[in-house]
Structures are given as structure tokens and as C-alpha cells.
Amino acid sequence: GYDVLALYMLDEATGDRVHAASIGYDEPHDRLTSDQGLGGRPLLDGKLHYVPDVTQDSCYFYGAWGSEVDVPIRIGEKVIGVLIAENREPHAFSQNDFEVLTAAAQQAGLAIENANLFAEVQGQKQYSESLVQNSPVAIVSVDLNCKVSLWNPAAEKLFGYTQAEALGRDLDALVTITPEMLAGARNITQKMMDGMRLFHTITQRGRRDGTLVDVEIMAVLGDGH
């Protein structure tokens, strides 16, 4: 029953409200300064504001020209935006409307927080993946069955196997070329599986072409890897 609904987010650098979504406006303002409109008030005091007749408030300048409710949107205790609801009729909002809009603002805050957290996690994931892919050090990850699940470009260069060739292969068998070397590698793997969190040694491993290469191994037991 609302003629206008709008979501504006706070630009902390300027104090402006930035249009995020709306329905009912013909041409919503992309940005509102603190002295434009009624929606800036919840950003200042964190409270719901109701103007039953906007024609009686000199701060009002655009919308349905009836009555307006402005509700702060929070993440925790921090106000991050405002939910605006307007009706063309004055005195159109009731206590029930206030409760409905407050609940909607709370849901919007939760959704925005989840979106921010997801973006942060994705960014961290992309950063970590970039570090692994661009590392000059061979980085290999295996599952609890010692099957290769990650094989970065430096590992390709060091051992001569492409990522496609290495993934899913038994690491110990892949990079050893003698029974003695394989037994030594299996011993390290078993220690890790038995709960050793960190292993460090300097030894030799085998390349795809059968040649040996001196390697410094740092093995770390992670969650499931």
C-alpha cells in the first residue's frame, strides 16, 4: 500500500545518501546531501522518523507529497542506510506500518551484511588463489588419500607435469623414481596423517623426465589436506 519505497545507502566519506534501489519514483535522485529530504534524520540519530504531512516540513522536496516514514538500516549498531516509505495520503501510516518497515529494514541490513561478508570472503579467496598461482615456489595440496588437489604453475615447472596431469594422482608416486625414494616419501606422508602438523626437510625428488632435483620440502597439515 506504499506509493514509494526506496533504499539509500550512506556514503561515509561525504555523508550523502546514495540511491541503491527504489520503486514508485519517476526519476529517483542518485545522491542526496544531508540537507536534502527527510531521509537524513535516521542517519543522524538512528531512529525511525514519521512525518504525517510532508507539506508541513520544509525539508521535504521530492516524492509522493503525502506522508513519509524513514527507517534506519543497521549492521549491528552501525547505521548504514535508510529505508524510505511514502504514501500520497497524509496521515496514512499506522503503528503496524512502523513495525513492518522496521522489520524490513532489519532484513535489509542482514542481507547487506551477508552480501558484504560474501564479497569479502570471495576477495580473500581470489587473493589467496592469486598468491598460489603466482608463487615462484612449488605449492601442492593433497587430500587425506595423498591425491593431488592443487598443483600450481611453479610445481608444473619444477616437476614437468601439467596441472591436468597431476590432479588426482598419488603425490608420493608422482614425484619419486626409486623404491627407496617412494618409501621415504610414504614415511613423511604417514607422519603427517598421524597428526604431525609440520614437516621440513631437504631431500631429492624425481621429475617427469626421470632426472632428480634437490628440493626443500615444507609440509603442513591443514583441515582435510
Side-chain angles (χ1 to χ4, degrees), residues 14-17 32-37 40-41 44:
T14 64
D16 293 349
R17 283 156 287 146
L32 298 170
T33 61
S34 58
D35 60 344
Q36 291 180 310
R41 294 169 180 175
L44 297 175

Side-chain angles (χ1 to χ4, degrees), residues 67 95 104 122 157 192 222 225:
S67 46
Q95 181 61 39
Q122 289 298 105
K157 183 177 180 180
M192 298 297 293
H225 292 79

Side-chain angles (χ1 to χ4, degrees), residues 76-134:
E77 295 300 316
K78 182 180 181 181
V79 178
I80 61 167
V82 60
L83 178 65
I84 301 169
E86 295 189 53
N87 194 300
R88 291 189 177 89
E89 298 298 324
H91 303 276
F93 292 88
S94 66
Q95 181 61 39
N96 181 67
D97 292 307
F98 300 157
E99 293 172 0
V100 169
L101 291 168
T102 298
Q106 291 172 344
Q107 291 298 315
L110 290 172
I112 292 166
E113 181 179 26
N114 288 336
N116 290 343
L117 290 173
F118 179 77
E120 181 179 347
V121 168
Q122 289 298 105
Q124 291 174 346
K125 180 181 178 182
Q126 292 172 359
Y127 177 69
S128 298
E129 290 176 349
S130 177
L131 287 179
V132 169
Q133 293 302 312
N134 293 295

Side-chain angles (χ1 to χ4, degrees), residues 22 24 60 65 67 78 125 139 142 154 176 180 196 205 209 213 215 223:
S22 64
Y60 186 83
W65 292 97
S67 46
K78 182 180 181 181
K125 180 181 178 182
I139 299 177
V142 298
T176 58
E180 295 78 16
M196 180 183 289
R205 288 292 182 264
D209 62 7
V213 58
V215 295
D223 296 331

